[in-house]
Amino acid sequence: MKIILDNSKCEGHGRCYALAPELFDADDEGYSVLKITGEVPAGSEEHATLASANCPEFAITIED
Amino acid sequence: MQDWATDFDHTHPDYAAQATEIWDDLRARCPVAHSDRFGGVWLPTRHEDVAAIAHDTEHFSSEGVIVSPWKPEGLAPAGYAPPITSDPPFHAIARRLLLPAFSPASIARWEASARQSCQELIAELAGAGPVVDAAAEYTQHVPVRVIADMLGVPRSDGDKFRGFIHRILENPGGSVGNLAYEDTLDYYLRQVVADHRQNPRDDLIGFLIEAEMDGQKLTDDHIGGTVALLLIAGIDTTWSAIGASLWHLAQTPSDRARLVADPGLLPVAVEEFLRFYAPVTMARIVKEEVEVGGCTFKERDWVLLSFPSANRDPEVFEDADRFVIDRVRNRHSAFGLGIHRCLGSNLARMEMTVAIDEWMKAFPDFELADAGAVRWSTGQVRGPRQLPVRILQRGAE
Ligand code: HEM
Ligand code: SF4
């Protein structure tokens, strides 16, 4: 599983780093930063899906 | 019978009383309503249309965000209260200045004092009862005291703010009449900023005094204007959100029991409170003729951006008309969409969580004392203004 974060859509609603803090971080202005590169670590798949399903801006997509 | 699709008035108490039914009805059959009031105003009700407008700053200007007979003109791109009334490219500059002070990490620093404010308010209610007004005696005061702490002014000054804001909101663009200058927000802010300049400290006004825009320090006017916007955008909104949450809990014993049994559910519940009772509808002014949902919006028409209606669109939410306290997929837009996403959203979430948590600890069981005495606000910020509840059980000290 891979996460694609589209920074041009992110408006800093902060849902992703609240729901999946091991995968996303906030920058100084509250916009999202992806903490991992490549595959989602085992055990974090559910968090990744949650973050994507709760982003109001549709900025996060998941690739299987 | 009045048809909401062709003649609605969102400032009327009848509309406030049935708002959710009106949106559901319109979304199913119309989906973009229009009224000739206020010089012509549109009301899209589907998530898809609301999102498209919020993202389209080419055709829609934020020069006017509150629908009223007074329609701002010639103020873009800054507008009268940047960044909320600003358009690109100016908007990003005014917003970026404030973002660091409202980031999750910055807001976390204010949580302990927010909690203390809630506990103080509850202590004041502890001797009262069994019937207390949860809106007038509790939720109303929470955001006021929190923002007072953040700005670095006495909590007791907080109560003055409400007077200032209501004067401004009820008479936008109006004169202050025969009020003495010493009683105005303008005078108050000048005093506070001057005091912070003399005695520098680590709070929001201290941050604004140190901040720079284009390499220049801000003027006192700019600082005062920003503080005024934060008071206006941050108080009634959060008061409404906490009040609507308690109104829901007062009538839903099963959800009260869930929160008492599992306080860890609260952050998820807060998102559902925000979706279901989204308090804020914004507005735009059409910049250039454009088509939305099959209707032609003309230049200078008003458009209401109903985030509350978008939040109940069955195209985007499963069981959209049901409150589901542990809803896992919740892409709600209570804080708006696009570049104007609520700057205070991290603060608002923290205040809601702390205020509901402290209330539930003190009063785990309560109910509406008199459903007929509950009064909701009218207009673009929606929440209970009077909320008499009967305390059925008090928590252990
Ligand atoms: C539950 C409480 C709140 C709700 C539902 C809410 C909702 C909103 C919404 C929907 C917008 C978008 C405006 C637009 O698209 O034109 C907005 C913007 C804004 N809000 Fe909030 N708000 C809340 C609390 C706060 C707080 C506590 C503050 C700060 C103290 C705040 C400050 C702002 C500011 C400054 C903007 C303008 C941002 C910009 O234009 O870039 N809000 N809010
Ligand atoms: S939830 Fe979406 S909009 Fe919000 S910070 Fe994460 S990516 Fe950005």
Side-chain angles (χ1 to χ4, degrees):
Chain A
M1 182 187 267
K2 281 205 170 88
I3 301 175
I4 297 154
L5 169 64
D6 183 346
N7 290 102
S8 70
K9 285 188 177 168
C10 172
E11 295 292 354
H13 289 258
R15 302 286 287 126
C16 55
Y17 45 79
L19 290 163
E22 79 279 27
L23 303 175
F24 301 89
D25 215 343
D27 71 10
D28 290 345
E29 298 184 340
Y31 295 98
S32 180
V33 184
L34 200 51
K35 284 167 84 170
I36 56 159
T37 49
E39 288 289 307
V40 173
S44 284
E45 292 89 350
E46 199 189 323
H47 277 183
T49 314
L50 262 186
S52 167
N54 282 279
C55 172
E57 304 286 353
F58 294 82
I60 303 167
T61 40
I62 302 288
E63 261 182 16
D64 282 317
Chain B
M1 251 301 279
Q2 179 183 18
D3 185 354
W4 301 109
T6 53
D7 182 27
F8 67 86
D9 179 357
H10 66 288
T11 63
H12 197 279
D14 289 350
Y15 179 100
Q18 325 163 45
T20 57
E21 290 86 347
I22 294 172
W23 300 325
D24 287 346
D25 170 49
L26 291 173
R27 204 185 303 103
R29 72 184 166 96
C30 171
V32 182
H34 182 265
S35 164
D36 287 330
R37 296 167 202 268
F38 308 103
V41 51
W42 298 95
L43 173 67
T45 53
R46 293 188 306 176
H47 183 281
E48 186 187 334
D49 294 331
V50 171
I53 295 167
H55 288 124
D56 180 358
T57 53
E58 291 276 304
H59 293 95
F60 300 95
S61 170
S62 284
E63 189 175 25
V65 287
I66 305 288
V67 171
S68 81
W70 175 67
K71 196 183 280 184
E73 187 159 19
L75 303 178
Y80 59 89
I84 204 163
T85 57
S86 311
D87 289 337
F90 179 85
H91 169 264
I93 304 168
R95 180 175 170 93
R96 196 167 298 136
L97 174 77
L98 293 169
L99 279 171
F102 288 89
S103 72
S106 303
I107 292 307
R109 293 170 40 217
W110 301 104
E111 182 174 334
S113 64
R115 202 171 278 284
Q116 196 202 334
S117 287
C118 293
Q119 287 165 349
E120 274 175 26
L121 287 164
I122 284 171
E124 286 165 31
L125 290 178
V131 174
V132 300
D133 190 325
E137 295 177 280
Y138 183 61
T139 62
Q140 165 169 228
H141 301 286
V142 173
V144 171
R145 295 200 184 182
V146 173
I147 198 81
D149 284 353
M150 289 182 69
L151 293 173
V153 303
R155 281 183 196 162
S156 54
D157 274 12
D159 295 334
K160 281 191 204 161
F161 298 161
R162 274 198 319 276
F164 294 140
I165 312 166
H166 290 149
R167 218 153 52 213
I168 294 166
L169 286 180
E170 278 152 29
N171 186 15
S175 77
V176 289
N178 49 15
L179 215 64
Y181 180 59
E182 285 74 19
D183 293 330
T184 62
L185 176 59
D186 194 50
Y187 174 81
Y188 176 79
L189 292 174
R190 273 175 205 286
Q191 299 296 306
V192 169
V193 175
D195 175 58
H196 275 72
R197 283 197 191 282
Q198 269 163 23
N199 312 292
R201 39 202 199 259
D202 181 20
D203 51 34
L204 196 50
I205 292 179
F207 168 85
L208 290 170
I209 287 174
E210 290 303 316
E212 290 184 357
M213 216 164 107
D214 291 334
Q216 299 273 323
K217 290 268 201 264
L218 309 182
T219 62
D220 280 8
D221 272 353
H222 189 145
I223 296 174
T226 305
V227 173
L229 169 65
L230 296 177
L231 296 178
I232 292 171
I235 293 182
D236 279 13
T237 49
T238 313
W239 168 19
S240 300
I242 304 169
S245 308
L246 295 183
W247 180 77
H248 173 92
L249 289 170
Q251 298 170 88
T252 323
S254 55
D255 285 343
R256 288 200 298 276
R258 284 289 297 274
L259 283 183
V260 170
D262 180 10
L265 183 63
L266 191 51
V268 176
V270 162
E271 299 305 321
E272 182 68 346
F273 286 130
L274 283 164
R275 181 187 76 89
F276 209 71
Y277 300 106
V280 178
T281 295
M282 292 306 291
R284 297 289 186 265
I285 295 176
V286 178
K287 265 206 269 194
E288 225 178 85
E289 190 171 296
V290 61
E291 194 151 313
V292 177
C295 300
T296 305
F297 293 10
K298 295 263 176 354
E299 195 180 323
R300 298 286 297 157
D301 283 349
W302 283 112
V303 183
L304 280 167
L305 263 187
S306 180
F307 299 113
S309 174
N311 277 351
R312 287 170 179 252
D313 187 339
E315 290 286 322
V316 180
F317 301 94
E318 256 172 68
D319 294 327
D321 56 355
R322 266 186 51 223
F323 182 94
V324 181
I325 196 165
D326 56 0
R327 186 179 286 275
V328 275
R329 305 167 74 87
N330 193 349
R331 266 183 223 281
H332 73 77
S333 51
F335 291 119
L337 290 168
I339 61 168
H340 291 278
R341 185 271 305 168
C342 179
L343 188 97
S345 62
N346 299 306
L347 171 60
R349 285 189 164 106
M350 182 273 276
E351 291 183 52
M352 285 178 72
T353 309
V354 165
I356 298 168
D357 190 37
E358 290 300 324
W359 176 276
M360 292 303 294
K361 276 198 248 169
F363 310 125
D365 209 8
F366 60 104
E367 63 182 9
L368 289 187
D370 175 3
V374 176
R375 196 177 58 80
W376 287 74
S377 59
T378 57
Q380 287 179 227
V381 179
R382 188 176 140 75
R385 295 292 175 261
Q386 270 144 32
L387 182 56
V389 298
R390 179 176 299 104
I391 308 294
L392 300 173
Q393 188 199 337
R394 293 180 197 256
E397 286 298 292

